[in-house]
Amino acid sequence: MAGETILIVEDNPQNLKLARVLLSSEGYDARTAIDAEQALILLEQIEPKLILMDIQLPGMNGLELTRQLKAKPETKQIVIIAVTAFALVQSEQKAREAGCDGYIIKPIDVTTLPQELAGYLGAQASAG
Ligand code: MN
């Protein structure tokens, strides 16, 4: 859905740029943060529908940030999609346990990501 705000949390500049350019071209309002601290500051100003959350971040990692956001009334409704290079079942379990709503494996597939995100956003819309 065009215009919806998506926050990309990613410490790798190339990955961040790729995701930002892709989501912007799909009509989303793509916002970015390079670590958990920056994301928390930004989330005091914006209300994204979805967060693309890199799990491996310097400092507080993406799972811990997800736990914090899912524990707060003002951010718990945000759809959080974990993004990780580790294609392990264990990683997906950990992401789910932390409260992530979905899981994407790096490198991002630019041909399927827009449809995946639209699916997550649509599922949230129909859930109310
Ligand atoms: Mn990273």
Side-chain angles (χ1 to χ4, degrees):
M1 273 155 264
E4 285 177 323
T5 302
I6 294 183
L7 172 60
I8 306 155
V9 186
E10 167 65 75
D11 63 306
N12 178 294
Q14 282 178 304
N15 292 346
L16 186 67
K17 186 179 178 187
L18 175 69
R20 179 170 54 75
V21 169
L22 177 65
L23 295 184
S24 295
S25 75
E26 291 290 319
Y28 293 110
D29 175 22
R31 310 297 296 268
T32 62
I34 59 164
D35 59 24
E37 287 71 22
Q38 203 178 80
L40 286 168
I41 291 168
L42 196 56
L43 285 167
E44 290 174 8
Q45 301 154 31
I46 66 167
E47 291 181 36
K49 282 274 193 295
L50 186 146
I51 299 176
L52 218 44
M53 180 76 80
D54 181 26
I55 296 303
Q56 288 83 33
L57 294 170
M60 187 196 305
N61 70 34
L63 293 181
E64 180 54 32
L65 177 57
T66 298
R67 273 188 214 102
Q68 289 195 14
L69 297 178
K70 290 295 184 180
K72 285 197 282 188
E74 59 269 35
T75 50
K76 70 176 185 185
Q77 78 288 350
I78 302 172
V79 177
I80 301 183
I81 308 302
V83 182
T84 177
F86 297 112
L88 300 171
V89 174
Q90 198 186 21
S91 296
E92 179 162 11
Q93 281 174 349
K94 282 183 182 170
R96 299 275 180 195
E97 282 165 14
C100 294
D101 302 283
Y103 184 85
I104 288 172
I105 293 165
K106 281 187 192 178
I108 284 174
D109 184 339
V110 296
T111 62
T112 59
L113 183 67
Q115 207 171 358
E116 279 186 272
L117 295 183
Y120 285 120
L121 290 166
Q124 187 211 31
S126 59

